[in-house]
Amino acid sequence: MKTQVSQISSACLPRRSTIRIIRLMLLVIGVTYMIRLIQYDLRLIQYNDLSSNTAGGAWPPIEIVNQWVDANNGIVILIVNCGYMDMADNLISSMERLPNDETFHNFVIVPLDTTSFQILSKVYPGHVLPLMPTTTTSSNSSSSVELSAAVDYGSRQFHRLTASRATILKSFLQLGYAIFYCDLDTVWNQNALSHMHQRLAVEKEKEEARSSLDFPSDTNTTREVEISRSHQRDPLEAVFVRDSGSTYCTCQIYMHPTRNNLELITQWERKLSYKKHEQDQRAFNYMMNNEGWNQNVSSVTLGIRSPEFPIGRIYFNQWAKGKGNPPTIATLLNTKVVVVHNNFIVGHERKVWRFKEHGLWNPSGKLENLPYNCSSTM
């Protein structure tokens, strides 16, 4: 009998050990969950403190933006996360060292994480906006845009980061600003905002001249033309850059605060809620090429070999190597180039290396004495 009891007790020992292990695992999971919850609450509190700087909850705060607009109510928008703060610093340094002793200050910085907000507020005081409160279209949950790692082009994290672009640009257009969005992997050689103002003004004059020729003196014919135009969208007042023959690059976008531009940006924002248009540039090009928006661009569309806004593949791989016309970077920088875009190369470090190789990496040095950690919050 004792032997049977001993055998039963021995058989129960593994079961008791298993139960203890399960209880321990549940305890660890519970503690981990509580830690994550506390971390989330702390980030939320920190975000609320930052976003409380906006006047009455309005974003962007006009009291900040109005300090930096130019005579045409234009503003350059730089969207920055922690991982690309050094790239933003290099870009702004090129703005502040424009030729003819021109100092450019017509920009604001839109931070995508708390670290970039805190650090860049010290480096460029007055130019940094509070974090943007936004409703994420893909999840329908209210949150701050909080992406901090130096993500690579084409990655899922990159798509999440750029998905906020349409919402940010729309917020500025709604307040009546003429906007120029510019990617961070660029270097300015001339005042790009002023150039965009001038290019669009010239194109509008041409459009008005063409419109005056569209209306013949015959009343009936004029009536037919008016009816035909009533079914079309008004022309967009914008400047776009192409990556290839039919591909619009969302890397540099200049827009006036018109009804049609706002409609385009709003539809772009809505498109990003569909999974098949998760990538913002793909969504934008679908609209332009498949929904007729490109038929209403009477504004400027700069080609891939534009001497003013050359793409990286042309600038670095051809012109910088003495191929094509003009043949050298020295010639380019002394003549026509307005903005050099370091695209068609993937990876933060590779972009920095290419800038350095061609003498285009000249950051201010202000970030060197400000230690920070860009570990991803995703």
Side-chain angles (χ1 to χ4, degrees):
M1 186 69 179
K2 290 182 179 180
T3 303
Q4 290 179 348
V5 172
S6 177
Q7 290 175 347
I8 294 172
S9 300
S10 299
C12 291
L13 287 176
R15 295 180 184 176
R16 291 175 181 173
S17 299
T18 301
I19 292 173
R20 288 174 182 171
I21 292 172
I22 292 174
R23 286 176 177 174
L24 181 61
M25 291 176 62
L26 291 174
L27 179 62
V28 170
I29 292 172
V31 171
T32 302
Y33 176 77
M34 290 301 296
I35 292 174
R36 292 284 179 88
L37 189 61
I38 292 171
Q39 289 175 338
Y40 174 79
D41 288 340
L42 290 174
R43 287 200 303 269
L44 188 61
I45 292 170
Q46 187 177 31
Y47 163 71
N48 289 333
D49 289 341
L50 295 173
S51 61
S52 64
N53 293 327
T54 57
W59 196 98
I62 59 175
E63 65 273 15
I64 296 178
V65 181
N66 286 346
Q67 294 180 60
W68 307 114
V69 293
D70 66 5
N72 296 295
N73 207 38
I75 191 74
V76 175
I77 301 171
L78 306 177
I79 303 176
V80 186
N81 74 338
C82 182
Y84 275 83
M85 286 196 297
D86 58 344
M87 202 78 71
D89 184 51
N90 187 62
L91 167 58
I92 296 171
S93 295
S94 72
M95 293 176 175
E96 295 182 339
R97 290 195 299 264
L98 292 176
N100 304 320
D101 297 324
E102 181 180 4
T103 302
F104 186 87
H105 295 301
N106 309 118
F107 69 91
V108 291
I109 297 171
V110 178
L112 294 182
D113 54 73
T114 54
T115 303
S116 60
F117 172 85
Q118 293 165 348
I119 297 296
L120 293 176
S121 293
K122 297 176 182 177
V123 177
Y124 296 103
H127 287 275
V128 183
L129 304 183
L131 288 177
M132 179 184 184
T134 183
T135 300
T136 306
T137 54
S138 59
S139 62
N140 295 321
S141 62
S142 181
S143 63
S144 66
V145 182
E146 186 81 18
L147 297 168
S148 61
V151 297
D152 290 341
Y153 176 86
S155 65
R156 179 175 296 182
Q157 292 86 352
F158 177 85
H159 295 165
R160 284 187 60 199
L161 189 150
T162 56
S164 63
R165 189 178 309 175
T167 303
I168 291 169
L169 300 187
K170 184 180 78 170
S171 299
F172 282 84
L173 289 175
Q174 287 174 324
L175 294 177
Y177 296 109
I179 61 171
F180 179 39
Y181 166 78
C182 188
D183 268 3
L184 302 179
D185 58 342
T186 56
V187 166
W188 285 26
N189 185 56
Q190 298 180 36
N191 186 331
L193 182 60
S194 177
H195 182 88
M196 291 294 188
H197 289 325
Q198 295 170 12
R199 288 292 292 267
L200 189 55
V202 170
E203 187 60 30
K204 287 179 68 176
E205 289 180 3
K206 293 179 181 178
E207 175 62 21
E208 290 173 0
R210 286 193 294 263
S211 298
S212 65
L213 298 176
D214 284 344
F215 292 94
S217 57
D218 182 80
T219 306
N220 293 330
T221 307
T222 302
R223 174 69 175 169
E224 292 174 0
V225 172
E226 288 176 342
I227 293 173
S228 174
R229 286 194 165 196
S230 67
H231 295 287
Q232 299 177 357
R233 296 188 183 98
D234 292 333
L236 296 171
E237 293 186 18
V239 180
F240 302 107
V241 178
R242 289 190 189 272
D243 263 352
S244 61
S246 61
T247 303
Y248 293 89
C249 181
T250 53
C251 53
Q252 298 176 73
I253 299 175
Y254 172 82
M255 282 187 165
H256 281 184
T258 65
R259 178 179 58 83
N260 284 324
N261 285 345
L262 186 57
E263 181 185 351
L264 172 64
I265 293 294
T266 301
Q267 289 191 22
W268 183 24
E269 180 188 38
R270 191 174 300 128
K271 276 282 190 297
L272 293 175
S273 64
Y274 307 147
K275 187 172 182 60
K276 65 178 180 178
H277 297 305
E278 188 178 32
Q279 210 265 14
D280 76 311
Q281 185 162 304
R282 186 182 299 121
F284 189 83
N285 276 276
Y286 183 88
M287 294 171 56
M288 296 297 287
N289 297 320
N290 295 80
E291 297 182 354
W293 283 97
N294 59 352
Q295 302 299 318
N296 299 281
V297 181
S298 65
S299 54
V300 183
T301 301
L302 301 170
I304 62 172
R305 292 182 179 272
S306 164
E308 296 91 355
F309 296 85
I311 62 174
R313 187 172 58 194
I314 300 296
Y315 184 87
F316 292 105
N317 297 347
Q318 295 184 26
W319 292 350
K321 295 180 179 179
K323 301 176 182 179
N325 182 32
T328 66
I329 283 187
T331 301
L332 286 167
L333 294 181
N334 290 328
T335 55
K336 293 186 176 181
V337 169
V338 177
V339 174
V340 177
H341 190 193
N342 195 357
N343 60 349
F344 287 92
I345 186 171
V346 177
H348 173 274
E349 297 306 320
R350 296 180 69 198
K351 288 177 182 286
V352 172
W353 173 82
R354 188 157 75 171
F355 269 148
K356 288 180 178 179
E357 184 184 32
H358 293 89
L360 298 176
W361 186 255
N362 301 290
S364 68
K366 298 174 183 177
L367 291 173
E368 295 177 0
N369 298 321
L370 296 172
Y372 55 88
N373 181 13
C374 290
S375 59
S376 176
T377 58
M378 290 178 288

